[in-house]
Amino acid sequence: MSAQERLTDALYGLGWSTVKKLPEPVAVRLGRTIADLAWKRRGKGVLRLESNYARVVPDATPERLAELSRAGMRSYLRYWMESFRLPAWSAERVSAGVEVKDLHHLTDGLAAGKGVVLALPHLANWDLAGAWVTTELKIPFTTVAERLKPETLYDRFVAYRQGLGMEVLPHNGGSAFGTLARRLRDGGLVCLVADRDLSASGTEVRFFGDTARMPAGPALLAQHTGALLLPATLWYDDSPVMRGRVHPPIEVPETGTRAEKTSVMTQALADAFAQGIADHPEDWHMLQRLWLSDLDPAPDPAKGRS
């Protein structure tokens, strides 16, 4: 393990061991202070966040983008402060911390015994939403965690999410897919954060006017198992309560190849995500490159000229 990896692991460990002991108002102020300091430094993450917001709000002035990125960093640090404190929250605090519209899409789908794939973008606090599902709704579910370095940090995240009542599988391609499919065929719930492809072989979608890749897994799982595919979006307001919405099911097309059906369904998922992100851009915590034109910039025609 490198020195940087040891430092990263130690900082996350400090967060879970120390921040969860702080009174909630103190944790809120701390998160906002850290967010404002990071925003003023204008590091790579902040600049990338601002660049992504420029696609979501294309007519925004530089001043508006700066306001959005500041609000975005505050939202991002609210996510971390809540996440560090979640293991110490009572069941009552978790239940009171989330309010979801159109929840019947989820509960009716599970009641029908078909299994449900709930797909979310990186909006607000998906870990809190998961804790609410297991605590308030008393519904267990399975999810997938991205492999992180160092391995000890990945282990921390797995233990943290398992402590919130989730079954967590490593993101190892096909091996996770088979387990998820079994859970769905048994009528269970699978929750996946699905607005960024981790495999470099995802499905291309049009997203805020340009091409991005999103994981094919949610659409493929629905096709393989007959489970419902439900998009969900989350957002914060000025209260301590996080809001959410479960969108209507995305149907499996009646005709077409598997790839064609997957493309149509993943595009519908991207459209639902875009609706939620456009309504609450400051709560979209996308500090990485997403669009293909950002991942693979076109060559400069001026280069190579003699």
Side-chain angles (χ1 to χ4, degrees):
M1 187 189 304
S2 69
Q4 180 63 43
E5 288 175 342
R6 285 196 298 271
L7 176 60
T8 299
D9 183 58
L11 288 174
Y12 279 100
L14 182 65
W16 271 302
S17 64
T18 303
V19 173
K20 71 179 180 182
K21 299 176 184 177
L22 297 175
E24 190 157 346
V26 175
V28 170
R29 289 196 299 271
L30 176 62
R32 180 162 292 202
T33 299
I34 295 172
D36 288 349
L37 288 172
W39 178 77
K40 288 176 183 177
R41 289 182 59 189
R42 307 286 291 165
K44 288 183 179 180
V46 173
L47 294 177
R48 174 50 51 192
L49 186 67
E50 206 163 284
S51 175
N52 290 339
Y53 286 163
R55 292 180 180 270
V56 176
V57 190
D59 58 348
T61 63
E63 293 76 17
R64 172 61 178 150
L65 286 175
E67 291 174 358
L68 271 177
S69 64
R70 184 178 189 180
M73 289 304 295
R74 288 182 171 184
S75 176
Y76 184 50
L77 264 294
R78 176 173 172 176
Y79 161 80
W80 279 113
M81 292 297 109
E82 287 179 345
S83 294
F84 286 144
R85 290 175 50 74
L86 259 177
W89 280 14
S90 66
E92 292 76 18
R93 176 66 182 89
V94 172
S95 295
V98 180
E99 183 178 283
V100 179
K101 297 179 180 178
D102 299 327
L103 187 62
H104 64 90
H105 292 304
L106 173 60
T107 54
D108 290 352
L110 290 172
K114 300 177 68 173
V116 172
V117 180
L118 195 67
L120 306 90
H122 285 80
L123 274 169
N125 192 336
W126 45 97
D127 285 326
L128 173 55
W132 183 82
V133 168
T134 60
T135 300
E136 173 67 13
L137 302 184
K138 303 293 192 296
I139 298 172
F141 68 88
T142 304
T143 189
V144 174
E146 178 183 358
R147 281 284 184 188
L148 301 171
K149 291 185 178 181
E151 192 74 15
T152 51
L153 180 57
Y154 170 77
D155 293 339
R156 286 186 191 274
F157 270 98
V158 170
Y160 157 65
R161 289 177 173 139
Q162 288 176 336
L164 298 176
M166 311 174 193
E167 179 188 19
V168 183
L169 306 177
H171 186 273
N172 282 338
S175 60
F177 188 93
T179 302
L180 296 174
R182 287 194 294 274
R183 299 292 182 269
L184 292 168
R185 291 192 183 101
D186 289 339
L189 174 63
V190 165
C191 297
L192 301 171
V193 180
D195 57 343
R196 185 167 67 93
D197 179 54
L198 298 175
S199 67
S201 60
T203 299
E204 291 190 2
V205 295
R206 295 294 293 178
F207 195 56
F208 291 105
D210 204 351
T211 303
R213 286 194 191 99
M214 293 188 180
L220 288 172
L221 284 166
Q223 291 176 61
H224 275 275
T225 67
L228 283 183
L229 175 55
L230 298 177
T233 52
L234 306 168
W235 66 92
Y236 290 129
D237 56 21
D238 293 330
S239 77
V241 179
M242 182 179 70
R243 314 295 174 176
R245 178 190 173 197
V246 180
H247 297 249
I250 293 174
E251 302 293 340
V252 178
E254 294 183 0
T255 60
T257 65
R258 180 181 297 174
E260 289 168 344
K261 292 178 180 180
T262 299
S263 178
V264 170
M265 296 172 73
T266 306
Q267 183 63 62
L269 201 61
D271 292 342
F273 291 170
Q275 179 184 344
I277 292 166
D279 289 342
H280 305 279
E282 68 279 5
D283 292 323
W284 189 40
H285 307 151
M286 186 55 65
L287 281 74
Q288 299 85 20
R289 298 177 187 271
L290 182 70
W291 284 270
L292 300 192
S293 56
D294 290 335
L295 292 167
D296 301 304
D300 186 344
K303 290 184 179 180
R305 292 178 182 171
S306 56

